[in-house]
Amino acid sequence: MYAVLKTGGKQYKVAANDIIMVEKLVADAGTSIEIDEVLMIGDDETSTVGAPLIEGARVAAEVLEQKRAKKITVFKKKRRQNYRRTIGHRQELTVLRITDILAAGEAKKQPKANSKAKSAAKEPNESKTAPKAKTAPKTKAAPKAKTAPKAKTAPKTKAAPKAETSNTEQ
């Protein structure tokens, strides 16, 4: 049996005992969570597709660890302006092992906490990092007022070449 679930803005096709890395979820290593945003459940014979979600379907998973992804380099450049910026970024990830896929109406094998309820209960009490204060976006300078175009004058014409005179008069 497999399922397609959605978490962290991405979709994952999972089966029992799969290990996946998803965007950071608020849970400690070793705890069990349930993801209730299931888009599709299927097996060899049948499949059920939600519109957009399957009501009551859940995917149970165990949090193996919290870690950070490999560092990526972000380089910005504007040519001919002497503007170059280099920064790095490491995405925070949660490693999950899928333990069970429960279709709508199936009973749980073991009682497990809901990931949304757990994160909602934990968020107000504990804040690991304070959100950064957002600054107003920089606006571009107003374009300069255009001045009236200069009056065009008639193009200068070249003087006609002088006629050649011969010095020899005989």
Side-chain angles (χ1 to χ4, degrees):
M1 178 175 253
Y2 67 92
V4 176
L5 59 96
K6 183 173 94 171
T7 181
K10 298 179 181 74
Q11 297 177 6
Y12 301 91
K13 180 182 176 186
V14 296
N17 296 321
D18 281 355
I19 296 176
I20 59 172
M21 287 188 286
V22 299
E23 300 290 320
K24 182 173 173 73
L25 298 173
V26 180
D28 294 327
T31 61
S32 297
I33 62 170
E34 285 188 354
I35 300 170
D36 55 355
E37 292 185 3
V38 180
L39 304 171
M40 179 178 170
I41 293 179
D43 56 14
D44 295 336
E45 301 163 1
T46 62
S47 63
T48 305
V49 179
L53 302 174
I54 299 174
E55 293 291 324
R58 299 175 311 277
V59 174
E62 177 187 356
V63 177
L64 297 180
E65 67 176 313
Q66 301 282 357
K67 68 180 208 173
R68 296 175 78 192
K70 183 179 174 183
K71 186 174 189 175
I72 61 168
T73 303
V74 180
F75 181 71
K76 300 178 186 179
K77 179 181 179 180
K78 292 184 181 177
R79 65 185 191 160
R80 297 189 298 269
Q81 303 298 319
N82 196 24
Y83 174 83
R84 292 182 294 273
R85 301 290 182 266
T86 304
I87 59 171
H89 175 74
R90 291 185 71 185
Q91 185 66 39
E92 294 186 354
L93 301 173
T94 301
V95 180
L96 299 175
R97 175 183 288 129
I98 306 301
T99 56
D100 198 15
I101 298 172
L102 302 169
E106 288 186 16
K108 292 190 238 180
K109 293 181 181 176
Q110 298 175 1
K112 296 180 182 177
N114 188 357
S115 64
K116 287 188 177 179
K118 185 175 265 191
S119 65
K122 204 171 205 181
E123 295 263 341
N125 297 337
E126 296 180 22
S127 177
K128 291 186 179 181
T129 58
K132 294 181 181 178
K134 293 186 179 181
T135 59
K138 294 182 180 179
T139 57
K140 292 185 177 181
K144 293 180 180 178
K146 293 185 178 182
T147 58
K150 294 181 181 179
K152 293 186 178 181
T153 58
K156 295 181 181 179
T157 57
K158 292 185 178 181
K162 294 181 180 179
E164 291 184 22
T165 57
S166 57
N167 291 341
T168 59
E169 293 179 27
Q170 296 173 344

